[in-house]
Amino acid sequence: MRTTDDTPSRGTAPAADAARPADAVAAAVARVEEAYRTGVPCAPVRDLLPPGDLDAALAVQSLVTGRGIAAGRRITGWRTGPATPEAPDRPGPGGLASGVLLDDTAVPDGAELPWGAVLQPRAGAGVALVLERDLGHERHTVADVLLAVAFALPAVEVFGSRIRDWDVTAVDTLADNACGGAYVLGTRPVPLRDLELRTAGAVLERRGEPVSTGAGASRLGHPLHAAVLLADALVRRGTPLRAGDTVLTGPLGPLTAVAPGDVLEARIDGLGSVRAAFGSAGPEGETR
């Protein structure tokens, strides 16, 4: 069911605001795209954009992801970004930072993600929601989200930063597609009626050793609260969540840095487990 007939096609990224300072946005786009192209992290983009201008940062994200979509990539959903120093995992004036999920960033459970595919990777255990209905209201409730979700899955959320040394603020995070990297989903769908996500414990293990722990309540009190904020923000952007979208609600514990050859397994109460494997470094030992 479609809630609106005038929203942008899934083959397009959110439109950049024509009123944004074009030269500054273009310079930031070039910096981020160079990091993608070379595999070498860049300087923060906040020095190129008006101070604290999240609209300009969103324009950068829209242009970078839009070029990927134009080249044949497909939107598969959306993610919320990691915490930043000035917004440690709480919503700001514009809600949580959000980024596009693209089809070639989805990695099968247990399959190897080549080293270097994600710059400066960090990972966390999270809850993924897969929608069977659109979320197109101006303001959503938890009940709206409950009705829209087909099932939940455990996820390993792999974040990456094109910004050198993860020296990011909210502006850098939003411009860099909410530090999007890759994601791995479990394969056993669980209806929300069978879950108590607020109290669900989560652990991320590296070869059997816990490296991060948390619970559903650590994500804004409940993972569904993150989904509500994301749904509202995307309607304001003109790109509402659609049936079939995957929503990554965010890590339930601290992110852990990833090294070449790592194997990480996320276990979430009621959802089961999912495994992410990372390839070895190249012949020169680079750890991009």
Side-chain angles (χ1 to χ4, degrees):
M1 179 181 70
R2 296 296 183 200
T3 55
T4 59
D5 294 325
D6 57 353
T7 51
S9 163
R10 298 317 297 270
T12 61
D17 185 347
R20 293 296 97 210
D23 290 345
V25 168
V29 167
R31 184 175 289 181
V32 171
E33 289 187 329
E34 178 73 1
Y36 273 113
R37 186 184 66 80
T38 64
V40 178
C42 63
V45 299
R46 59 184 178 270
D47 64 315
L48 299 173
L49 302 174
D53 192 335
L54 296 180
D55 288 336
L58 178 58
V60 175
Q61 179 190 127
S62 299
L63 288 167
V64 173
T65 58
R67 291 176 184 178
I69 293 165
R73 302 169 80 185
R74 178 174 63 89
I75 294 176
T76 54
W78 298 80
R79 79 186 317 148
T80 61
T84 59
E86 73 271 36
D89 209 22
R90 63 176 181 268
L96 291 174
S98 58
V100 177
L101 297 178
L102 298 172
D103 60 327
D104 58 351
T105 66
V107 180
D109 186 3
E112 185 174 279
L113 177 65
W115 189 253
V118 178
L119 289 181
Q120 305 179 114
R122 298 180 180 182
V127 175
L129 307 175
V130 179
L131 303 184
E132 63 181 353
R133 300 183 184 181
D134 297 352
L135 286 169
H137 299 301
E138 182 178 354
R139 288 187 299 276
H140 295 87
T141 66
V142 168
D144 293 326
V145 173
L146 286 168
L147 286 170
V149 173
F151 52 84
L153 296 167
V156 176
E157 300 192 28
V158 183
F159 294 92
S161 183
R162 272 49 62 182
I163 309 301
R164 187 183 307 119
D165 298 325
W166 277 81
D167 179 14
V168 297
T169 65
V171 166
D172 299 295
T173 296
L174 189 58
D176 191 22
N177 197 31
C179 297
Y183 66 104
V184 188
L185 302 179
T187 56
R188 185 176 69 92
V190 181
L192 289 182
R193 66 176 176 271
D194 296 335
L195 296 168
E196 176 44 81
L197 289 178
R198 186 182 68 81
T199 57
V203 60
L204 185 69
E205 299 175 344
R206 177 184 287 116
R207 300 192 182 276
E209 295 295 326
V211 293
S212 177
T213 59
S218 65
R219 192 58 176 164
L220 302 172
H222 197 294
L224 293 185
H225 296 170
V228 167
L229 286 170
L230 178 64
D232 289 354
L234 291 177
V235 168
R236 290 193 295 270
R237 288 172 60 171
T239 55
L241 289 167
R242 301 281 186 88
D245 279 349
T246 296
V247 175
L248 298 182
T249 57
L252 301 183
L255 296 181
T256 186
V258 179
D262 273 351
V263 177
L264 301 177
E265 186 161 5
R267 302 179 186 275
I268 300 176
D269 291 344
L271 283 176
S273 64
V274 58
R275 188 172 66 113
F278 297 82
S280 300
E284 297 179 3
E286 68 270 15
T287 56
R288 306 190 324 193

